[in-house]
């Protein structure tokens, strides 16, 4: 630091060593070749680059993604949602280990709307996914923190590409079943699994219709011990209810399964069902079409997100917006006039 002399006791050569190390940022080529070799440290560094808010990193990150893209798209992407405490992490640990035992490489990512507050709840999960964390064929990455769900979701999508390029053939994305994050996750996965708990016969209440419509399967977790009986009843109810929903474009009839993540029961059956889904949708070409639709959706999403960011982060707009908000409060303008005025300003920026 300028103006402060190092105490004599500090070893000058080790300081310069540390400084040199710090400066050694890997190049784009180094990152890409490391990822393609399946090097987890490089993969993590590249993801950190994607997540960086420093605008200088954006271009480098985009280059890395672009070069990884031809090696991506070859995995099974599964989204898992459910209310807090339903057992998502325990389920992912169980199915993750089942899959790595079969020689698969599993990446676990998260889109967590609360993560900007809690700094990534999956971090806490890492301790819950004890065995999976130690598994060298598994990679667990907490949710990136971000101001907007759109931004977080975009980063997760880009992370999927890097993970696939690094050879992960199964991508599991966890999200808490509250708010809008399910929609974001649904639009980046092939198969969407909803975890549920059996209640006292009111299963269908308090569950958003939209989530059921998105689900390719419902797994009733904690079907063990005293819960087993009510889980079986819930299964019948959900099955009946699902038949009232219109046929899916995929021609897949959503299924209801029972499982106990903690006892590793029902996991294999759920995986076999997922394979069945992939068989069906690969053969009827739905899967390919769906991924293309998702890409188009994300193009539009990204533009929207970027335009919004540029607009709201502009200093002139920021100050004028504040004034217009005050005017609205004082009943001196209408929302529409204010919006017109602010959007008009953008043209001159
Ligand atoms: N009896 C039983 N308990 C389970 C089962 N699966 C999970 N649990 C317990 O339920 C609690 C919550 O499990 P988690 O896996 O942390 O749930 P989660 O959905 O990831 O929760 P959040 O990350 O907070 O949204 C833990 O105490 C688990 O041990 C199960 O199959 N049977
Ligand atoms: Mg969890």
């Amino acid at each position: 630091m300028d103006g402060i002399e190092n105490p004599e006791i500090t070893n000058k050569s080790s300081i310069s060593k540390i400084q040199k190390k710090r400066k050694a940022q890997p190049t784009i080529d180094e990152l890409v070749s490391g990822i393609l070799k399946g090097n987890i440290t490089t993969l993590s560094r590249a993801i950190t680059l994607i997540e960086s808010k420093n605008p200088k990193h954006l271009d480098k990150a985009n280059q890395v993604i672009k070069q990884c893209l031809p090696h991506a798209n070859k995995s099974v992407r599964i989204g898992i949602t459910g209310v807090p405490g339903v057992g998502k992490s325990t389920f992912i640990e169980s199915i993750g280990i089942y899959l790595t035992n079969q020689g698969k490489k599993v990446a676990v990512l998260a889109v967590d709307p609360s993560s900007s507050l809690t700094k990534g709840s999956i971090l806490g999960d890492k301790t819950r996914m004890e065995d999976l964390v130690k598994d060298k064929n598994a990679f667990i990455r907490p949710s990136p923190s971000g101001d907007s769900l759109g931004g977080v979701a975009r980063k997760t999508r880009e992370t999927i590409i890097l993970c696939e390029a690094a050879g992960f053939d199964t991508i599991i994305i966890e999200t808490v079943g509250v708010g809008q994050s399910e929609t974001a996750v649904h639009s980046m996965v092939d198969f969407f699994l909803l975890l549920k708990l059996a209640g006292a016969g009111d299963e269908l209440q308090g569950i958003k219709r939209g989530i059921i419509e998105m689900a390719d399967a419902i797994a009733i977790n904690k079907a063990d011990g005293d819960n087993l009986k009510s889980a079986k009843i819930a299964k019948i109810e959900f099955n009946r209810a699902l038949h009232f929903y219109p046929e899916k474009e995929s021609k897949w009839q959503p299924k209801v399964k029972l499982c106990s993540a903690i006892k590793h029961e029902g996991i294999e059956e759920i995986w076999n069902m997922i394979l069945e889904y992939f068989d069906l949708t690969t053969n009827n070409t739905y899967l390919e079409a769906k991924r293309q639709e998702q890409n188009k959706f994300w193009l539009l999403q990204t533009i929207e997100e970027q335009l919004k960011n540029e607009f709201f982060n502009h200093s002139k707009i920021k100050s004028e917006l504040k004034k217009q908000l005050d005017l609205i409060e004082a009943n001196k303008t209408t929302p529409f006039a204010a919006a017109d005025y602010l959007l008009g300003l953008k043209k001159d920026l």
Side-chain angles (χ1 to χ4, degrees):
M1 230 185 261
D2 286 343
I4 301 173
E5 274 180 33
N6 282 323
E8 275 166 27
I9 202 163
T10 353
N11 180 337
K12 285 211 173 84
S13 78
S14 64
I15 290 181
S16 74
K17 251 193 222 159
I18 291 173
Q19 283 175 341
K20 257 191 207 148
K21 241 192 185 164
R22 264 198 210 138
K23 276 181 199 143
Q25 287 291 338
T27 63
I28 293 170
D29 284 349
E30 280 165 353
L31 285 171
V32 173
S33 77
I35 290 171
L36 294 183
K37 279 187 207 127
N39 183 323
I40 296 297
T41 315
T42 317
L43 175 63
S44 300
R45 286 190 93 163
I47 296 173
T48 306
L49 194 68
I50 287 179
E51 291 172 359
S52 167
K53 291 197 175 74
N54 183 342
K56 281 187 212 147
H57 293 158
L58 186 69
D59 194 43
K60 194 170 173 186
N62 283 340
Q63 289 294 329
V64 173
I65 296 165
K66 198 173 164 196
Q67 292 190 39
C68 283
L69 208 49
H71 308 274
N73 216 20
K74 289 172 206 148
S75 78
V76 167
R77 302 171 184 164
I78 301 162
I80 294 185
T81 191
V83 294
V86 68
K88 296 178 293 297
S89 307
T90 314
F91 180 86
I92 292 171
E93 157 115 341
S94 182
I95 199 164
I97 287 167
Y98 170 78
L99 292 171
T100 56
N101 279 340
Q102 296 196 350
K104 297 216 172 287
K105 288 188 75 184
V106 180
V108 180
L109 313 173
V111 172
D112 183 351
S114 62
S115 67
S116 49
L117 298 175
T118 59
K119 295 288 169 221
S121 75
I122 223 180
L123 262 185
D125 273 0
K126 272 197 162 186
T127 51
R128 282 189 218 156
M129 298 189 201
E130 264 176 9
D131 293 323
L132 200 58
V133 166
K134 285 183 248 151
D135 197 322
K136 68 174 179 8
N137 284 319
F139 175 72
I140 300 177
R141 182 82 185 188
S143 177
S145 63
D147 321 319
S148 72
L149 175 63
V152 170
R154 196 195 85 216
K155 288 168 188 173
T156 307
R157 254 188 80 85
E158 292 173 340
T159 301
I160 295 177
I161 294 170
L162 299 195
C163 289
E164 290 177 349
F168 287 93
D169 50 36
T170 313
I171 314 278
I172 299 179
I173 303 173
E174 175 184 343
T175 190
V176 179
V178 288
Q180 288 299 306
S181 60
E182 312 88 335
T183 317
V185 171
H186 180 250
S187 59
M188 61 177 93
V189 298
D190 307 314
F191 189 93
F192 199 62
L193 177 65
L194 170 64
L195 289 189
K196 284 290 294 172
L197 292 176
D202 58 351
E203 272 68 34
L204 293 170
Q205 291 181 4
I207 178 166
K208 281 180 273 167
R209 191 187 157 93
I211 299 193
I212 300 246
E213 272 168 3
M214 281 190 264
D216 295 301
I218 297 172
I220 300 162
N221 190 34
K222 307 197 187 181
D224 47 42
D226 293 343
N227 259 330
L228 188 57
K229 200 170 158 224
S230 52
K232 282 183 177 164
I233 297 171
K235 182 178 171 178
I236 296 169
E237 280 195 20
F238 274 122
N239 252 327
R240 197 181 297 142
L242 281 178
H243 282 280
F244 288 115
Y245 284 87
E247 187 187 46
K248 289 195 163 224
E249 215 187 314
S250 56
K251 306 281 178 226
W252 169 259
Q253 173 62 43
K255 299 194 169 29
V256 186
K257 300 280 179 193
L258 296 180
C259 68
S260 168
I262 219 159
K263 293 189 166 171
H264 309 292
E265 284 167 9
I267 303 297
E268 183 168 21
E269 206 187 327
I270 289 174
W271 179 247
N272 287 336
M273 167 188 66
I274 293 175
L275 291 181
E276 237 180 81
Y277 171 89
F278 274 86
D279 264 353
L280 175 83
T281 54
T282 310
N283 287 334
N284 70 14
T285 68
Y286 172 78
L287 192 65
E288 203 190 319
K290 183 178 183 180
R291 283 194 175 188
Q292 276 167 3
E293 279 309 309
Q294 289 177 335
N295 283 336
K296 289 184 204 162
F297 170 79
W298 282 99
L299 165 68
L300 299 175
Q301 260 316 87
T302 309
I303 293 176
E304 220 173 89
E305 184 76 17
Q306 214 129 306
L307 285 176
K308 246 191 339 201
N309 281 347
E310 274 169 27
F311 185 76
F312 286 113
N313 288 328
H314 199 283
S315 56
K316 175 107 197 263
I317 301 279
K318 268 189 191 166
S319 66
E320 289 297 313
L321 175 60
K322 205 168 163 296
K323 284 183 204 157
Q324 293 295 318
L325 287 171
D326 289 343
L327 288 175
I328 284 186
E329 216 176 287
N331 277 326
K332 286 188 177 147
T333 184
T334 68
F336 312 105
D340 260 357
Y341 168 71
L342 291 166
L343 289 166
L345 284 181
K346 188 175 182 302
K347 293 189 197 106
D348 308 325
L349 297 175

